[in-house]
Amino acid sequence: MKIIIVLKMNSIEIRKTFLDFFKSKQHEIVPSAPMVIKNDPTLMFTNAGMNQFKDIFLGNTTVKFPRIADTQKCLRVSGKHNDLEEVGHDTYHHTMFEMLGNWSFGDYFKKEAIAWAWELLTEVYKIDKNCLYVSVFGGDSSDNLSKDNEAYDIWKNYISEDRIIDGSKKDNFWEMGDTGPCGPCSEIHVDLRSEEEKKKVDGKSLVNHDDPLVIEIWNLVFIEYNRMSDGKLVSLPAKHIDTGMGFERLCMVLQGTKSNYDTDVFQPIIQEIAKISGKKYGDNNKADIAMRVIADHLRAISFAIADGQLPSNNKAGYVIRRILRRAVRYGYTFLDFREPFINEILGVLVSQMGDMFPELKSQKDLIKKVITEEELAFLRTLSQGIQKFENYISSNKNSQEINGTFAFELFDTFGFPIDLTQLMAKEQGLTVDMVGFNKGMEEQKTRSRQAAVVDTEDWVIVNPETETEFLGYDTLTSESKIIKFRKIKVKDKEYFQLVFDKTPFYAESGGQLGDKGWFEGNSEKIFITDTKKENNLIVHLTETLPTNQNGSFKLFVDESKRRLTENNHSATHILHSALRAVLGTHVEQKGSLVNDERLRFDFSHFSKMSEKEIKDVETLVNKKIRENIILEEQRNLPIEDARKMGAVALFGEKYGDFVRVITFDKNYSVELCGGTHAKSTGQIGMFKIVSESAIAAGVRRIEAITADQAENFFNSQLQLVLEIKEILKNPNDVLKAIATLQSENENLNKQLGEFKKGQALNLKGDLINSKENINGINFISAKVDLDMASIKDLAFAMKAEVENLFLILANESDGKANLSIMISDNLITEKSLNASNLIREIAKEINGGGGGQPFYATAGGKNPSGIENAFKKAKEIIEGL
RNA sequence: GGGGGAUUAGCUCAUUUGGCUAGAGCGCUUGCCUGGCAGGCAAGAGGUAAGGGGUUCGAUUCCCCUAUUCUCCA
């Protein structure tokens, strides 16, 4: 008998082995980029390992290391890769996952990529070769591409040809988007089924057929083309390798489990969920799904929050909120949680992954707080929706089916997933009209698609340069050439994007808005309405193109706007340090907005700032401004050196980055920052906080103004006080004068009220005295000089006092007439009188119309001279009874 | 970026073809019952119906804009 001792690697070892292997092949190992993406309009989250290298593929940036390997945190929840609804129901979908990858940028190509992948899998990880299949691109006639014979011939050296599969364009031709770098790819698949199963069905036939145990493990992409917007492919001068291997899947393979969720990546979390829910994992399919959902989503939201993306009500923040709510909902429905629980599992995740990803550890308190608040908020929404549902049920008792429109409304407006509605319907013995629901869904999708159509034309190259230089730290003008431009159409609007070889224009980044200004050349002047960053490219937005794009142009940044913006940006840095000094070092930047009018700074802090704290911060900032600290700026500092200087690092730095450090007194404020700043703090002039508020659990927001704006603020406040004084005839003590005024006013109001009451009483008395008894009815008619509200009061008061009352009142204002009729309740039935009907008839006399209730009605008209006739008519009606 | 909903007393929410001088529960104030508390009874205060504009004799209700917020789609 043969004894096989299998020493399973744990997930930490598996990750390390991958990175060590490629290090031995001269790869630079770089840390994971943040999962949350800034400065890319096409992407909210990192959804593949290659994202942080996109600029290299696009040729917008130079290559620092030709060979790189890493593990990258990824999130797939929207756009092309939307796996959210699958997660938990099977054994292998995830929202957040790690992607192991190795890259070559114009260095090695297919031969080495294939050889190393094979070596790592079979010799280092020791995966049985007889379980592996590979695929190569089989060609595609629509793109006029033949089979990838180069890859096929290389694979032949490692694996028998009957294990090589020709793949379709869908599976084996990788594209970044509608346009851009792309190329054929080779996938490595592994068959994890039992020997018996393998005998029954050939593994080769299951490749790419969604069998949970015959799965793709590694994708090797050979980037050699660029897709143009007309669909044509152009060969790239420098060819690249881009590979991706799902870490959680690899763990499953190497640990011999049947599910990613059974590996040591997920089990500790799942066991914790089981523990606090009092249920056992593996007992009940629905509960198991819920536990997997929660385990997966906990990872996604924790990493997102650690990377600076807080849940919110739109964009990326809303994606995070939705993931969290999905987890809450599964816990609510299938694990019977009614109180926040996800935050309690966080500890396990942090102890498990905090070493590899230190951001989890350092932000643990904030993550926990944010998750708890979100859970509470969603449980509230949930109970509102349930109430709505119950209202619907009780008002539609005889229906057996829940209206699809209502089901869609619940989904669309209250965030109720359709399966939850179905579940609740089932409990009442009802079904849901799915046709109607799906119709509502389709309509909404069509609407959204139409609204989101952006037509981007290809870049038109004017001068073939790749690098653009930013001059804006030193100058606000430049002599530049256009490198390229393109036209963008959004709905009925059209604008242009221009890239210059050098530019003083600062592109929106790090919270600082982009510069505005203009450029001149060939006797034309064209305005630049905004400057944006697309990855590393500085893009200038204009409404028109110069008629001749060649030649040189003179660029001008709007100086006054830029200077005011700089003041606010520098003030933001000083504020940041002041907050840390006053509140403590737990204060971390969570968001920032800087423009020429004001600054907005979001930061982690757990309670409302007191008046004194706000004042202390203001005082400290203004003190630093008056110290007139000279700006120290260091460009192109290796990030490691910057960290040593104690620079406050934000999210967003990538591997090997050379960073810029902005210092205002090395013992006070040192920050990594790409923005533009005042030359010395004195330029800021003064600083004033105008609001302090909460924007999310554990996150506060300060809005402040500086320089001219602050000066205006103080001046207008002073002016206000001066004007108040003047109005009060310059008293010695303004406050006392106002207090006196207030109490006098109060007294007068009281007296006036009593006087009015007396008058009304007199008026009421006079009216009552004027009553005529006609057919047993107390008829009163009068024209009064009161507004409609007072007439109403009077009418109600008289109704309470006079029996058998028929009251008709009129007033006149602005050449218009109003009538009001009040009738005692008993007359309505006894004499069949209806104020509403009567007034319609009577109002004809004043050329108007009206209505109301049987006992009280009003009307308006354009003919005041008809009032007497109206009274006469009313009297005739009563007399005629 | 586009759609749908919400915003009414300190809090949670009512208010159906536009008209009952906008109501309830909890909380608050006062008084009473009880040895005290818990509790009970009674009276009362508290509303520019988010803000602005329009339609109308009349708008919490219908329309438009703004703000805040929730939610879905992209």
Side-chain angles (χ1 to χ4, degrees):
Chain A
M1 190 177 147
K2 203 161 78 175
I3 297 171
I4 302 170
I5 301 171
V6 183
L7 283 176
K8 285 186 197 163
M9 282 190 197
N10 68 31
S11 55
I12 293 168
E13 291 161 345
I14 291 169
R15 191 192 285 119
K16 186 170 183 299
T17 302
F18 178 90
L19 297 175
D20 288 348
F21 176 82
F22 280 102
K23 198 171 185 180
S24 78
K25 309 289 184 196
Q26 292 78 50
H27 286 61
E28 181 75 18
I29 308 302
V30 304
S32 174
M35 199 164 74
V36 179
I37 294 186
K38 311 274 172 194
N39 296 333
D40 187 339
T42 62
L43 216 51
M44 291 192 290
F45 301 103
T46 299
N47 64 1
M50 54 72 63
N51 287 153
Q52 67 164 314
F53 308 111
K54 209 170 144 183
D55 276 319
I56 299 179
F57 291 130
L58 289 168
N60 294 336
T61 224
T62 48
V63 175
K64 286 171 195 142
F65 307 106
R67 296 180 182 188
I68 281 176
D70 70 357
T71 180
Q72 173 66 49
K73 302 175 274 188
C74 299
L75 192 68
R76 285 191 182 172
V77 285
S78 57
K80 193 170 95 174
H81 300 289
N82 189 350
D83 295 345
L84 183 59
E85 288 309 314
E86 312 286 338
V87 172
H89 291 270
D90 56 34
T91 55
Y92 56 94
H93 273 104
H94 301 296
T95 50
M96 184 249 163
F97 58 94
E98 280 180 67
M99 190 69 107
L100 301 166
N102 58 294
W103 279 270
S104 155
F105 304 118
D107 192 45
Y108 64 82
F109 204 46
K110 294 181 190 177
K111 184 164 153 255
E112 293 85 349
I114 290 173
W116 290 336
W118 192 256
E119 181 187 344
L120 178 62
L121 291 182
T122 61
E123 288 172 34
V124 180
Y125 286 138
K126 301 207 182 301
I127 298 174
D128 186 350
K129 291 176 189 173
N130 294 320
C131 297
L132 296 174
Y133 296 89
V134 301
S135 63
V136 298
F137 178 54
D140 186 87
S141 55
S142 65
D143 276 328
N144 202 16
L145 287 172
S146 57
K147 174 171 168 171
D148 187 0
N149 285 314
E150 188 185 359
Y152 188 85
D153 291 339
I154 299 168
W155 277 119
K156 275 199 307 198
N157 301 327
Y158 299 102
I159 190 167
S160 70
E161 291 187 48
D162 61 358
R163 288 178 167 266
I164 306 178
I165 297 159
D166 280 354
S168 65
K169 182 176 169 186
K170 175 179 159 279
D171 289 323
N172 284 76
F173 195 86
W174 182 91
E175 307 209 36
M176 197 167 76
D178 295 338
T179 59
C182 56
C185 61
S186 258
E187 296 172 344
I188 305 171
H189 296 257
V190 59
D191 183 353
L192 299 172
R193 295 171 305 150
S194 65
E195 287 306 319
E196 299 148 31
E197 291 290 326
K198 282 181 186 170
K199 272 175 201 150
K200 274 190 241 164
V201 182
D202 182 20
K204 189 174 173 182
S205 68
L206 296 175
V207 168
N208 276 335
H209 284 82
D210 288 335
D211 188 302
L213 294 176
V214 182
I215 53 172
E216 173 199 335
I217 181 168
W218 203 344
N219 191 4
L220 314 177
V221 181
F222 314 124
I223 296 179
E224 49 188 325
Y225 302 108
N226 193 10
R227 171 86 66 188
M228 311 309 286
S229 66
D230 62 4
K232 293 215 174 74
L233 292 172
V234 178
S235 202
L236 281 173
K239 301 190 191 319
H240 311 297
I241 290 293
D242 160 15
T243 85
M245 175 155 62
F247 171 66
E248 292 77 10
R249 253 180 213 196
L250 179 66
C251 289
M252 166 171 104
V253 173
L254 298 182
Q255 294 179 358
T257 62
K258 300 285 181 205
S259 156
N260 293 359
Y261 290 95
D262 291 339
T263 64
D264 69 338
V265 179
F266 287 96
Q267 272 303 311
I269 303 172
I270 288 179
Q271 290 309 327
E272 181 70 12
I273 299 167
K275 199 176 102 192
I276 61 172
S277 69
K279 296 188 189 319
K280 200 166 153 245
Y281 184 68
D283 275 0
N284 172 298
N285 188 35
K286 289 266 169 71
D288 290 354
I289 290 173
M291 289 189 209
R292 290 197 289 267
V293 166
I294 295 162
D296 175 277
H297 292 3
L298 168 71
R299 281 162 38 105
I301 51 190
S302 301
F303 276 96
I305 296 169
D307 276 351
Q309 184 57 63
L310 295 161
S312 72
N313 66 341
N314 52 32
K315 302 266 168 72
Y318 186 60
V319 173
I320 300 307
R321 172 171 284 174
R322 224 171 54 194
I323 296 173
L324 190 145
R325 294 190 164 190
R326 187 168 182 265
V328 174
R329 215 268 296 168
Y330 272 83
Y332 180 93
T333 309
F334 301 110
L335 301 176
D336 302 326
F337 284 113
R338 291 293 178 273
E339 301 290 325
F341 62 97
I342 297 172
N343 65 89
E344 291 173 32
I345 315 159
L346 179 67
V348 181
L349 176 70
V350 174
S351 61
Q352 199 190 344
M353 298 188 84
D355 286 332
M356 182 69 198
F357 301 97
E359 65 271 26
L360 271 189
K361 246 185 207 170
S362 67
Q363 308 251 37
K364 187 184 169 189
D365 289 345
L366 178 72
I367 297 170
K368 189 175 165 76
K369 178 114 180 169
V370 169
I371 291 179
T372 311
E373 284 299 319
E374 281 293 313
E375 287 192 83
L376 281 169
F378 184 54
L379 287 168
R380 275 198 296 270
T381 304
L382 216 52
S383 73
Q384 273 175 9
I386 288 170
Q387 199 177 346
K388 184 103 187 158
F389 179 83
E390 281 167 359
N391 287 349
Y392 175 88
I393 296 289
S394 62
S395 56
N396 292 279
K397 276 197 174 119
N398 26 19
S399 173
Q400 286 303 301
E401 188 180 63
I402 289 176
N403 187 298
T405 314
F406 177 71
F408 183 71
E409 187 196 335
L410 269 185
F411 169 77
D412 190 39
T413 307
F414 292 86
F416 267 47
I418 187 64
D419 58 334
L420 178 63
T421 307
Q422 284 176 313
L423 196 79
M424 288 178 356
K426 205 173 151 190
E427 284 168 7
Q428 308 272 347
L430 303 172
T431 56
V432 178
D433 162 30
M434 289 305 290
V435 177
F437 176 81
N438 288 327
K439 190 164 156 270
M441 197 76 197
E442 261 322 298
E443 280 167 7
Q444 162 147 239
K445 283 189 179 179
T446 313
R447 259 199 314 271
S448 292
R449 275 199 208 100
Q450 278 167 350
V453 173
V454 178
D455 186 7
T456 308
E457 295 188 357
D458 280 331
W459 286 110
V460 177
I461 309 290
V462 181
N463 286 296
E465 306 246 350
T466 53
E467 290 280 303
T468 78
E469 198 185 344
F470 176 62
L471 308 171
Y473 293 138
D474 306 307
T475 175
L476 297 182
T477 60
S478 73
E479 285 283 341
S480 309
K481 289 181 198 158
I482 296 176
I483 293 183
K484 54 183 178 179
F485 67 86
R486 66 180 175 187
K487 187 154 92 176
I488 311 273
K489 273 189 227 162
V490 185
K491 285 203 197 159
D492 43 0
K493 270 186 229 157
E494 226 179 68
Y495 62 94
F496 296 91
Q497 296 186 333
L498 275 70
V499 178
F500 292 94
D501 62 337
K502 46 191 186 235
T503 177
F505 280 75
Y506 181 80
E508 176 175 350
S509 176
Q512 181 178 337
L513 294 190
D515 280 331
K516 295 175 188 211
W518 69 93
F519 65 93
E520 296 170 359
N522 304 328
S523 65
E524 271 183 298
K525 179 175 178 181
I526 288 175
F527 286 96
I528 292 172
T529 54
D530 199 359
T531 313
K532 294 201 176 214
K533 228 179 201 179
E534 222 174 281
N535 301 298
N536 275 344
L537 218 54
I538 299 172
V539 179
H540 306 72
L541 273 50
T542 64
E543 282 172 12
T544 52
L545 266 187
T547 32
N548 177 1
Q549 297 97 33
N550 292 299
S552 122
F553 296 91
K554 186 137 195 183
L555 276 54
F556 299 91
V557 171
D558 182 328
E559 181 167 355
S560 80
K561 275 201 164 63
R562 164 70 92 80
R563 295 293 175 227
L564 290 168
T565 306
E566 286 175 348
N567 287 335
N568 281 334
H569 201 155
S570 299
T572 302
H573 284 209
I574 298 171
L575 168 66
H576 189 181
S577 289
L579 286 168
R580 290 171 74 96
V582 171
L583 301 175
T585 50
H586 63 279
V587 168
E588 285 195 39
Q589 177 167 346
K590 287 292 155 203
S592 165
L593 176 78
V594 179
N595 61 26
D596 53 329
E597 291 183 337
R598 60 199 238 287
L599 65 94
R600 201 171 78 191
F601 188 73
D602 302 339
F603 57 99
S604 49
H605 181 59
F606 292 113
S607 58
K608 183 164 176 60
M609 285 176 73
S610 66
E611 294 282 333
K612 182 175 182 300
E613 284 167 338
I614 291 175
K615 216 162 170 218
D616 287 350
V617 168
E618 276 178 349
T619 307
L620 180 52
V621 171
N622 280 313
K623 179 166 165 273
K624 290 293 166 186
I625 289 171
R626 281 192 298 274
E627 281 175 18
N628 199 21
I629 305 162
I630 307 295
L631 163 76
E632 284 176 67
E633 177 200 358
Q634 285 151 295
R635 292 179 204 170
N636 297 319
L637 201 66
I639 193 163
E640 293 70 26
D641 294 1
R643 293 228 163 90
K644 269 178 226 154
M645 289 171 62
V648 177
L650 305 176
F651 25 84
E653 287 80 35
K654 296 182 197 167
Y655 80 96
D657 268 355
F658 285 85
V659 296
R660 182 158 167 270
V661 177
I662 294 297
T663 305
F664 289 105
D665 179 349
K666 65 185 194 309
N667 297 315
Y668 182 71
S669 166
V670 183
E671 286 195 38
L672 299 188
C673 179
T676 64
H677 284 273
K679 296 278 174 276
S680 65
T681 61
Q683 291 181 6
I684 299 166
M686 59 178 117
F687 171 86
K688 173 72 191 159
I689 293 175
V690 289
S691 92
E692 193 272 351
S693 60
I695 56 159
V699 183
R700 313 291 306 176
R701 166 171 294 175
I702 278 183
E703 290 178 272
I705 49 180
T706 66
D708 303 22
Q709 291 285 348
E711 194 179 321
N712 290 343
F713 175 81
F714 285 114
N715 281 338
S716 66
Q717 293 296 307
L718 268 179
Q719 184 62 29
L720 186 66
V721 174
L722 285 175
E723 284 173 18
I724 291 170
K725 274 186 165 174
E726 205 176 307
I727 286 172
L728 297 172
K729 313 271 183 249
N730 294 312
N732 290 330
D733 188 337
V734 185
L735 284 180
K736 201 177 162 195
I738 291 172
T740 311
L741 213 57
Q742 275 180 328
S743 71
E744 272 175 15
N745 187 42
E746 204 176 321
N747 280 332
L748 285 173
N749 258 332
K750 223 181 256 172
Q751 288 177 27
L752 183 67
E754 277 168 27
F755 179 73
K756 265 190 174 171
K757 225 189 252 171
Q759 275 231 315
L761 215 61
N762 283 339
L763 179 57
K764 198 169 70 179
D766 291 348
L767 287 175
I768 290 173
N769 289 336
S770 77
K771 73 185 174 200
E772 295 176 64
N773 193 317
I774 306 171
N775 292 331
I777 293 171
N778 288 315
F779 179 84
I780 301 171
S781 66
K783 192 171 161 188
V784 293
D785 190 18
L786 293 170
D787 60 87
M788 291 303 283
S790 308
I791 289 179
K792 200 173 197 176
D793 274 339
L794 180 63
F796 273 84
M798 289 185 63
K799 180 189 174 209
E801 222 165 294
V802 182
E803 290 184 335
N804 299 322
L805 173 71
F806 184 99
L807 171 73
I808 177 164
L809 293 174
N811 73 335
E812 187 184 338
S813 66
D814 301 331
K816 288 182 182 172
N818 286 298
L819 294 174
S820 304
I821 293 180
M822 174 65 86
I823 301 175
S824 290
D825 293 330
N826 58 312
L827 298 182
I828 296 167
T829 44
E830 286 166 20
K831 306 273 183 185
S832 305
L833 288 173
N834 185 314
S836 183
N837 295 339
L838 289 173
I839 206 158
R840 255 180 229 119
E841 190 58 31
I842 294 168
K844 284 176 186 164
E845 300 297 332
I846 56 164
N847 291 343
Q853 306 138 70
F855 70 97
Y856 184 71
T858 56
K862 289 173 203 147
N863 178 24
S865 59
I867 287 175
E868 284 307 321
N869 284 337
F871 288 163
K872 218 156 90 187
K873 195 164 185 178
K875 199 169 180 179
E876 282 164 15
I877 289 168
I878 300 302
E879 283 166 348
L881 282 175

